Amino acid sequence: MLDSLLSLGGLVLLRDSVEWEGRSLLKAIVKKSALWLVYHDFFRDPLNWSKTEEALPGGPLGALRAICKRTDAGPVTIALDSLSWLLLHLPCTTLCQALHAVSHQDSCPGNSSPVGKVSVLGLLHEELHGPGPVGALSSLAQTEVTLGGTKGQASAHILCRRPRQRPTDQTQWFSILPDFSLDLQEGPSVESQPCSDPHIPPVDPTTHLTFNLHLSKKEREARDSLILPFQFSSEKQQALLRPRPGQATSHIFYEPDAYDDLDQEDPDDDLDI
Amino acid sequence: MAAVATCGSGAGSTGSAVATASKSNVTSFQRRGPRASGTDDSGPRLVSIAGTRPSVRNGQLLVSTGLPALDQLLGGGLAIGTVLLIEEDKYNIYSPLLFKCFLAEGIVNGHTLLVASAKEDPANILQELPAPLLDDNNKKEFDEDVYNHKTPESNIKMKIAWRYQLLPKMEIGPVSSRFGHYYDASKRIPQELIEASNWHGFFLPEKISSTLKVEPWSLTPGYIKLLQFIQNIIYEEGFDGSNPQKKQRNVLRIGIQNLGSPLWGDDICCAENGSNSHSLTKFLYVLRGLLRTSLSACIITMPTHLIQNKAIIARVTNLSDIVIGLESFIGSERETNPLYKDYHGLIHIRQIPRLNNLICDESDVKDLAFKLKRKLFTIEQPFQFLNEK
């Protein structure tokens, strides 16, 4: 799955750390997928003081936005080495907005020309930043590759978020050859690892109870044939259930008897006039 | 806020459905139904808005949230003029579904919609709304789905409570007269329903230029623009009563997606003590003022798991009316817990408002779980067998 990282489009975040560096993986992915490479160097001369080459206005963010406005079709991969450098020089919100604008350009229906899929591959050194920016960029990323490994073997934990679906994750062991090509491998040998807990089978709480939760067939029949205490026969029940004509209006008939006083003025009958 | 009209008053308040006393009858109790309040009633007729109903507990006018199970937990529905805040789950899978059900309910009832997002174009959001279930057949199928954990005897002819068979079954009327519809999450809403509806969209990247200078004490420009947009719509379309020529009053449903994320220009998710950490709280305060003075209801989804400063979460909770948190089991250790194997996550009802009341409608059920079946989103109380005697 490492080789098909860019097929999904969007932002691919490559998180590395001091022990497991990701720049070689970045170069390997770029080498695998790029047909035509354009290289912008903003590190050597960020403010363009030497004025040697054509300066893109606005620095790296301006260059990103210029790529936004391109009109030629075809899939484009933008590799950023590194996002940490951008995060240290720009406010995080600006960077997030710019990355989102670039990586979601293909889903805009307003574009007149059919623009190919844009993937942004960014390298993030997660130890340089707090949980805030890392979390914010992770939530924006379509795919997240976290580098790790054991005993000299590097692994990539790939978390793929497709929209409106459950995220899928996968761990891939790999190594980078000297010519920056990617070599996918199986995991390290398992015998040397300490054995984990034996798999506990799920416990059904309804076994071994001191009371009975289920009814046997005979008991169910006995329950069904039980006569209910109010002794209505089923015919009378059906007769009552059948809707009678005029049942929507209910009438109450009352015959006043001798003790009723219909005098509205003096209902308690205690006035002595 | 709308309140129950006391008997005898002639003023028509929007919350009352009990017919006000007319001058001719001696009694103030009138029977509702086909024989009710005939032509000699000279009291003011209350115009009822489609898709709303008054609450039986506190008289507020309620709209449905789009999920009948959630309506029940909130005491009947979402009161007009209030804010429903949904704390998103970690991978943002289930909260968009609640958001879209709310909007779809608005379309089905004919309400006006206002959709604001910084991530997706509102037109695309509307294309992905779930389709409503309007047939009788589908409704029966989902009734069985929802209630299948009850004992099977309750579905056949009742033996003990046989007089309840006399009660009429719930009728499935036309689209606009029912309160609360079921939605099929696997199908899209028909295109003609979207085109027939009246909606306004606010997509932040289109509305804002990126080089605005922000003073540290004011709102971020994205929020300012959104508030102005909402205020314009409310004023122009007369939801606050400012346009008396409007013949038919309607409800405005506002949906704001991913508020507080960095895409709105707010840095509460990036830093613990950012430069404008009061921006979101000010926005919610002004928004609530706009909602209270108009016939509108608002749903907001917010990625609170990304907010770094916990005090902001507490302030946001206080400034909203209903707060619901979604916690999905994906990626957490609860996914493998056998007790939760039927469910996809937990729902936490963090706050329910006290609207014109001293007490709130808190339900006594605290642990609720949800699951998204192939089509339907249900909320249930797990471990129900422990409660049955």
Side-chain angles (χ1 to χ4, degrees), chain B residues 212-352:
Chain B
L212 268 170
K213 182 76 181 72
V214 179
E215 291 93 16
W217 60 85
S218 77
L219 297 166
T220 50
Y223 293 159
I224 295 179
K225 288 264 183 213
L226 178 58
L227 284 172
Q228 285 169 348
F229 185 75
I230 295 176
Q231 192 177 21
N232 278 344
I233 300 284
I234 289 180
Y235 180 70
E236 281 165 20
E237 305 217 353
F239 291 105
D240 54 352
S242 61
N243 205 349
Q245 291 88 2
K246 278 298 245 198
K247 53 191 185 309
Q248 180 75 17
R249 285 202 281 185
N250 205 352
V251 165
L252 175 69
R253 286 192 186 225
I254 304 175
I256 307 177
Q257 213 182 23
N258 288 126
L259 193 67
S261 77
L263 295 175
W264 282 98
D266 197 354
D267 62 351
I268 53 173
C269 292
C270 306
E272 203 167 317
N273 295 314
S275 57
N276 39 7
S277 55
H278 295 284
S279 191
L280 179 65
T281 42
K282 275 191 203 157
F283 172 83
L284 286 174
Y285 189 70
V286 176
L287 177 73
R288 204 166 65 162
L290 280 176
L291 291 179
R292 291 285 201 262
T293 53
S294 62
L295 279 178
S296 36
C298 182
I299 188 172
I300 300 179
T301 64
M302 190 179 287
T304 47
H305 57 97
L306 291 178
I307 295 181
Q308 297 300 304
N309 190 355
K310 303 301 168 195
I312 294 184
I313 302 179
R315 285 176 212 151
V316 161
T317 305
N318 283 339
L319 284 169
S320 319
D321 296 301
I322 303 181
V323 181
I324 292 177
L326 291 176
E327 179 192 336
S328 76
F329 294 150
I330 299 172
S332 78
E333 65 276 4
R334 289 186 184 167
E335 199 170 9
T336 49
N337 193 336
L339 295 170
Y340 287 127
K341 67 174 164 48
D342 288 331
Y343 300 98
H344 291 139
L346 297 177
I347 280 199
H348 305 283
I349 307 225
R350 305 215 196 267
Q351 179 171 277
I352 293 194

Side-chain angles (χ1 to χ4, degrees), chain A residues 24-79:
Chain A
S24 38
L25 181 61
L26 180 76
K27 292 178 185 171
I29 296 175
V30 166
K31 180 183 175 206
K32 198 172 185 116
S33 57
L35 295 169
W36 183 50
L37 189 66
V38 177
Y39 181 70
H40 290 287
D41 181 12
F42 286 102
F43 182 74
R44 210 177 301 267
D45 189 6
L47 296 173
N48 200 27
W49 283 344
S50 55
K51 290 190 179 29
T52 48
E53 50 181 63
E54 178 72 35
L56 281 162
L61 216 54
L64 271 181
R65 292 200 190 104
I67 297 171
C68 248
K69 296 185 187 57
R70 70 188 174 95
T71 49
D72 53 331
V76 165
T77 304
I78 305 172

Side-chain angles (χ1 to χ4, degrees), chain B residues 151-163:
Chain B
T151 54
E153 279 88 26
S154 62
N155 281 341
I156 61 176
K157 188 166 77 83
M158 291 183 249
K159 287 190 69 179
I160 298 178
W162 52 270
R163 280 195 191 267

